[in-house]
Amino acid sequence: MASQHEWDQFTGFEQYDRFTKAWLSGCRRVLKSTGTIWVIGAYHNIYRVGRILMDLGYWILNDVVWIKTNPMPNFRGVRFTNAHETLIWAKRSEKGRYTFNHHAMKVYNDGKQMRSDWEFPLCTGAERVKINGEKAHSTQKPEALLERVIVSSSVPGDIVLDPFFGSGTTGAVAKRLGRRWIGIEREDSYADIATERIAAVSAPTPEQLEALTPPDAQKPQRVPFKKLLELGLLKAGDKLTERKTGTVATVQEDGTLIAKRKHGTIHKLGAIVQGVPSCNGWEHWLYKDPKTGSQQPIDELRKIARATLAPPGV
C-alpha cells in the first residue's frame, strides 16, 4: 500500500481497510436512498474496496473497466503493463431505486447499448493541470471518464459528492453538465487548484441545460398521488406536514388530504393552508422517512414510484 505521497500511505492492509470502511460508511450515511456511488481503483486496492462495499450493505450494479489507450509501460519488464483501472458502481442497498440514463449513454456508443469497457487515454496535454511545468496532481483523471460517470447516473440539478477532490475534475465536469457538486479535500494546495480550475468553467445556459438533460429524464412519467398508496409507499391515515406552515394533514383512501377541516388534493390543500393561489404539493408536503426519521418531500416517494413503474431496461 506504499506510495510516494503521504496522503496515500498506509502501514498495511488493516489500516487501509479501517480507513476505507470509515469513508465508505460516511458516504452511505449521506447518500440518498435513490443515489449511487462510483469508486475507482487499480489492482492494489479495488478488490478490498469491493469487499468492504458489500459488507457495508451497498449493492454492486456494475464493474466498469477503464482501458487506458496510452498506459505507462512496466519499465522493468517483470510483469504485464497495467493498462486499466476498475470502477465499481453501486447503489445504497439491494432494494434501492436509482438513476440510470440508459438512452443517454447510447450517444457515447454509436447508438448502441453502452458496454462496461471504456477506452480513454490518460489525462495529458492541455487538460493536464500543471504548476511550474510539473503535474499538479499525480492521479488526475480524464474529464471524459467523469463525464460518463455523471451523465449515466444523475440528472441536471443533482448533487455530486467527491470525498477525494484532488485537482477538482469531478467539480469541473459536474458544473459543465449542470449538476451541483460538493468536494472534500484535505490538501490546501489541491483545494486551491480545484477552486481556480472550477471558477474557469462556465455553467450551462437554460437552453444548454435542456440539451444536457438525458432523454430518460426529459419526460418523467406522470404519477398521481394515489399511486403512492397503491404501491404501498404511503397508506390511508399517514400524516404529512406542510413545510412552510407546519400544518399536519391526514392521507385519505382516495388520495386526498384532510387538515383543519379542509379537504383537497396535495396541491389544492397546500395552497389553502398557505393562503396562496397555487402550490406544488409534491415539494411542500413532507413525510417521515421510516429509516432515518427525517422529514422528506413526498416528491422523493414519487421518484421511487417512477423507478418502480419504469419499463425494463430504463
Side-chain angles (χ1 to χ4, degrees), residues 59-250:
W59 189 260
I60 294 177
L61 295 164
N62 276 113
D63 62 335
V64 174
V65 179
W66 166 28
I67 301 171
K68 303 172 183 178
T69 58
N70 58 341
M72 292 292 293
N74 185 278
F75 292 106
R76 296 175 60 197
V78 295
R79 53 186 175 181
F80 298 111
T81 295
N82 296 319
H84 77 277
E85 291 187 37
T86 300
L87 295 84
I88 297 177
W89 182 39
K91 57 182 179 176
R92 195 177 186 280
S93 62
E94 178 181 0
K95 296 182 179 180
R97 302 293 174 177
Y98 60 96
T99 296
F100 176 50
N101 298 313
H102 168 73
H103 295 292
M105 294 307 291
K106 289 183 177 181
V107 174
Y108 297 91
N109 196 36
D110 295 327
K112 297 179 289 185
Q113 184 174 16
M114 175 56 69
R115 295 156 49 106
S116 61
D117 51 341
W118 299 352
E119 292 191 11
F120 296 110
L122 292 167
C123 186
T124 58
E127 185 182 323
R128 189 89 200 195
V129 180
K130 294 184 178 180
I131 302 295
N132 298 323
E134 299 293 328
K135 296 177 182 178
H137 196 289
S138 61
T139 61
Q140 181 182 338
K141 300 299 185 291
E143 290 193 6
L145 179 66
L146 270 297
E147 181 175 325
R148 282 197 190 178
V149 166
I150 292 172
V151 168
S152 69
S153 51
S154 69
V155 297
D158 280 353
I159 298 176
V160 180
L161 166 66
D162 186 341
F164 303 100
F165 207 49
S167 61
T169 303
T170 300
V173 176
K175 182 179 178 181
R176 174 165 57 81
L177 295 174
R179 275 67 167 176
R180 295 175 289 166
W181 57 270
I182 298 172
I184 301 173
E185 175 53 52
R186 55 173 272 183
E187 302 292 333
D188 290 340
S189 59
Y190 291 156
D192 291 340
I193 291 167
T195 300
E196 182 177 350
R197 179 182 179 188
I198 295 168
V201 175
S202 298
T205 65
E207 293 76 18
Q208 291 170 329
L209 194 61
E210 183 177 354
L212 287 170
T213 302
D216 312 72
Q218 286 177 353
K219 295 182 178 179
Q221 183 176 1
R222 185 177 181 276
V223 177
F225 179 72
K226 192 173 188 301
K227 182 62 69 174
L228 303 187
L229 281 74
E230 295 173 1
L231 294 174
L233 299 172
L234 287 174
K235 63 181 184 298
D238 281 350
K239 304 295 183 182
L240 302 179
T241 304
E242 200 284 310
R243 68 188 315 160
K244 285 191 173 180
T245 64
T247 301
V248 176
T250 304

Side-chain angles (χ1 to χ4, degrees), residues 282-308:
W282 291 107
E283 297 180 356
H284 282 269
W285 290 104
L286 308 176
Y287 75 101
K288 186 176 182 180
D289 188 320
K291 293 183 178 179
T292 65
S294 62
Q295 295 282 347
Q296 300 290 334
I298 56 174
D299 194 41
E300 295 299 317
L301 296 178
R302 181 169 63 165
K303 292 177 183 177
I304 296 174
R306 280 179 176 150
T308 302

